[in-house]
Amino acid sequence: VAGLEQGSEHPLAEAIVKGAVAKGLQPVAAERFESITGQGVRGRVGGRDVAIGNRELMKAADVDVAPLAGQGEALRELGQTVMFIAVDRTLMGLIGVADPIKATTPDAIAALKRDGLRLVMLTGDNVTTARAVAKQLGLEEVIADVKPDGKAAAIKALQASGRVVAMAGDGINDAPALAQAHVGIAMGTGTDVAMESAGVTLVQGDLRSVARARQLSGQTMANIKQNLFFAFVYNVVGVPVAAGVLYPFFGVLLSPIIAAAAMSLSSVSVIGNALRLRKA
């Protein structure tokens, strides 16, 4: 299994390989490696056909997973992702991999909820696993068992209902959805294709950064509006006076020196206001 998973870039594959090495095993290089999106991987290891993945992959290989279906469901209820293993078209076992929830994630979700955002878990994982994880995080909405194109379709459906959608993800399978969303947010600890598809890349793989980025973007837009106000006020007041509008009534003309100083002050005001964002 580790030999075959060496050819995959998926985080779960990496976990399996590391787990095998930690047990003192030496993975054998795989031949004819093939990754099937949303299903798993297959190839030849040590002269034998090996397939690792979900029910769909096993069904395509004509492998009956019924003998281990109950055990697999029990692992999913614990929040684990279950992968069946077939060797030479014979069911040989299963592997459960748990992706532990980061300690900072509950705080990030709580912060986004306080901002009034609607949060939806969108995952290609099994419904049972997804709901188990969502329950731990206090998420009510779960869209599970979706392939990469299904994730993009789910984003489109939310957009069609009038929602402005931000999608946060880090995997290869997230790329289509990241590209479809109004705002695609990739984690810097994720895959290159995810970062290329997203509009925003967060250096750290910490969901609290999403809340911080949203807060900073709001403050940035407010700052832009304030700067436009400053610029317009200086021009609306200064240009007519410089053009002599007040001269027929009050005999007032704007000295070129004062006009130049006002324009400089306008620039200083805008730049000074923008620099406040450093403390945001």
Side-chain angles (χ1 to χ4, degrees):
V1 170
L4 183 59
E5 292 287 17
Q6 284 183 116
S8 174
E9 295 182 357
H10 199 286
L12 298 183
E14 183 181 353
I16 290 173
V17 175
K18 286 183 177 179
V21 172
K23 293 180 181 294
L25 303 176
Q26 294 298 322
V28 180
E31 302 172 354
R32 294 190 297 196
F33 174 85
E34 182 184 5
S35 176
I36 300 93
T37 304
Q39 296 185 24
V41 294
R42 61 190 178 194
R44 287 184 66 80
V45 182
R48 307 183 73 178
D49 291 324
V50 181
I52 309 162
N54 57 21
R55 288 174 179 267
E56 209 171 329
L57 182 67
M58 294 297 111
K59 185 178 180 181
D62 199 24
V63 176
D64 183 15
V65 301
L68 294 177
Q71 188 175 347
E73 192 66 14
L75 292 175
R76 293 189 190 99
E77 289 175 356
L78 297 175
Q80 296 186 22
T81 298
V82 173
M83 290 162 280
F84 294 100
I85 304 159
V87 178
D88 292 332
R89 296 182 180 274
T90 301
L91 183 66
M92 298 296 285
L94 56 77
I95 288 183
V97 181
D99 187 5
I101 297 171
K102 291 184 179 180
T104 57
T105 300
D107 291 339
I109 290 175
L112 292 170
K113 281 187 172 181
R114 284 196 299 271
D115 286 343
L117 298 184
R118 173 186 172 189
L119 301 181
V120 181
M121 175 186 284
L122 182 60
T123 176
D125 219 327
N126 180 272
V127 173
T128 304
T129 301
R131 286 179 177 168
V133 175
K135 184 177 181 181
Q136 295 178 57
L137 293 173
L139 295 173
E140 293 78 26
E141 293 188 67
V142 177
I143 303 174
D145 258 335
V146 288
K147 295 181 180 179
D149 56 347
K151 290 184 179 181
I155 298 293
K156 284 183 181 179
L158 290 169
Q159 291 171 329
S161 66
R163 299 284 181 172
V164 176
V165 183
M167 163 75 181
D170 62 359
I172 295 173
N173 294 344
D174 295 325
L178 289 170
Q180 176 62 41
H182 290 105
V183 181
I185 305 171
M187 302 299 172
T189 53
T191 59
D192 290 340
V193 68
M195 287 184 274
E196 290 171 4
S197 302
V200 178
T201 298
L202 302 176
V203 176
Q204 298 177 333
D206 185 342
L207 281 178
R208 289 180 300 180
S209 299
V210 175
R212 286 197 294 269
R214 183 176 179 276
Q215 181 183 16
L216 178 60
S217 67
Q219 293 177 350
T220 300
M221 289 305 300
N223 195 281
I224 289 171
K225 293 173 183 176
Q226 292 161 6
N227 287 343
L228 285 172
F229 173 78
F230 287 141
F232 276 118
V233 164
Y234 280 106
N235 283 281
V236 167
V237 173
V239 171
V241 175
V245 170
L246 299 180
Y247 184 76
F249 307 100
F250 306 103
V252 176
L253 285 173
L254 189 63
S255 166
I257 297 175
I258 296 176
M263 290 305 297
S264 297
L265 185 60
S266 170
S267 298
V268 170
S269 299
V270 168
I271 294 171
N273 188 48
L275 287 174
R276 292 190 308 111
L277 288 172
R278 296 194 313 175
K279 298 180 180 180

